Amino acid sequence: MLILSIISSAVAPGLALLTFFYLKDKYDQEPLHMVIKVFLLGFLIVFPVMIIQRGLMLGWGDGPYVESFLISAGVEECLKWFVLYHMIYNHTEFDEPYDGILYAVAISLGFATIENVMYAWYSHASIGSMFLRALLPVSGHAMFGVIMGYHMGRARFSKGVRTRWILVISLVLPWIWHGIYDFILNTTANYWIWFIVPLMAFLWYGGMGKVARANNRSPFRVLKREEEVNM
């Protein structure tokens, strides 16, 4: 019964955050089956990520810079970006800027959820430690997804050479922020909370701003206003 409680506590934060961001889609909500599909893709990429990371650690070592920015953040963000770009970016359902945020958050939370379940199962984590993981790693993955998806949404509705540069930004920025997050945890064993809490507050503040700006750029915003006026 205790194991069931711990597993539930590992899954619940990802589902709660996914629901939160799904409901933030103001003007044209995505088909639920598409969101769930991308969420499950996040489950699947955990295993190739683990294999690649293990290989890189054997070859490059586990120094804090290498582990934080290349092996951990680099592999995870690159693989999430790769899957999103090849499976979602040109999909017909990707029809407004906010969709980039929703799908990037979905794959990020899928990844974070299965990672959380594995952590709970193998370490026999307490409810308290799972609550802390909900506030930090799971929430952190959601914010990296917001950053990636916001810029991917910008790229999707831009034209010309600018599109390529924004796509590069959609990979580089979450990679950097993820690397900073991991570097703090890897190098400040005793005082990490004094750095992580302000970092997470900053990411959430910026993330909610990106959510608002993406919704404001929706082509369905004008249509919805016209419908309200005609009613």
Side-chain angles (χ1 to χ4, degrees):
M1 196 67 180
L2 179 60
I3 292 295
L4 182 61
S5 298
I6 293 173
I7 297 299
S8 299
S9 69
V11 173
L15 293 178
L17 283 169
L18 183 61
T19 302
F20 173 78
F21 283 101
Y22 183 77
L23 295 176
K24 282 289 182 180
D25 193 351
K26 290 184 177 181
Y27 301 108
D28 184 47
Q29 285 193 333
E30 296 303 287
L32 189 56
H33 71 88
M34 279 291 296
V35 179
I36 294 173
K37 176 183 175 181
V38 176
F39 182 72
L40 294 177
L41 282 173
F43 281 26
L44 296 178
I45 66 172
V46 167
F47 302 104
V49 163
M50 290 172 63
I51 293 168
I52 295 169
Q53 287 177 335
R54 179 60 178 165
L56 292 178
M57 286 187 73
L58 291 174
W60 293 351
D62 58 354
Y65 287 101
V66 172
E67 184 179 355
S68 300
F69 287 94
L70 296 179
I71 297 176
S72 180
V75 174
E76 292 174 18
E77 298 305 326
C78 283
L79 204 52
K80 286 188 285 187
W81 187 94
F82 179 85
V83 172
L84 281 176
Y85 180 77
H86 288 281
M87 300 195 69
I88 298 298
Y89 186 74
N90 291 311
H91 199 284
T92 54
E93 293 294 347
F94 194 165
D95 53 8
E96 61 174 339
Y98 185 79
D99 294 349
I101 291 178
L102 180 58
Y103 288 123
V105 166
I107 197 169
S108 296
L109 287 175
F111 181 89
T113 297
I114 196 67
E115 189 179 58
N116 224 24
V117 169
M118 292 170 67
Y119 174 85
W121 182 263
Y122 289 111
S123 67
H124 303 289
S126 66
I127 297 296
S129 64
M130 295 310 299
F131 178 75
L132 186 61
R133 285 186 62 83
L135 294 176
L136 296 177
V138 178
S139 180
H141 275 289
M143 290 302 100
F144 307 142
V146 169
I147 296 168
M148 180 181 292
Y150 172 75
H151 292 289
M152 194 169 276
R154 287 180 58 216
R156 179 73 171 80
F157 297 95
S158 298
K159 296 180 180 179
V161 178
R162 189 165 177 250
T163 300
R164 296 180 181 178
W165 285 110
I166 300 174
L167 273 174
V168 171
I169 290 171
S170 73
L171 172 60
V172 172
L173 280 184
W175 182 345
I176 290 172
W177 284 114
H178 192 162
I180 292 170
Y181 175 94
D182 286 346
F183 185 75
I184 291 171
L185 293 182
N186 287 333
T187 57
T188 56
N190 296 323
Y191 305 103
W192 59 269
I193 197 166
W194 296 103
F195 298 96
I196 287 293
V197 170
L199 175 64
M200 291 304 301
F202 176 78
L203 290 175
W204 268 97
Y205 178 79
M208 291 302 97
K210 288 177 173 60
V211 166
R213 289 195 294 275
N215 271 315
N216 288 338
R217 294 191 181 112
S218 173
F220 302 104
R221 185 185 180 198
V222 175
L223 294 175
K224 189 166 184 178
R225 282 187 174 180
E226 289 178 353
E227 289 175 1
E228 290 173 353
V229 170
N230 292 331
M231 288 174 65

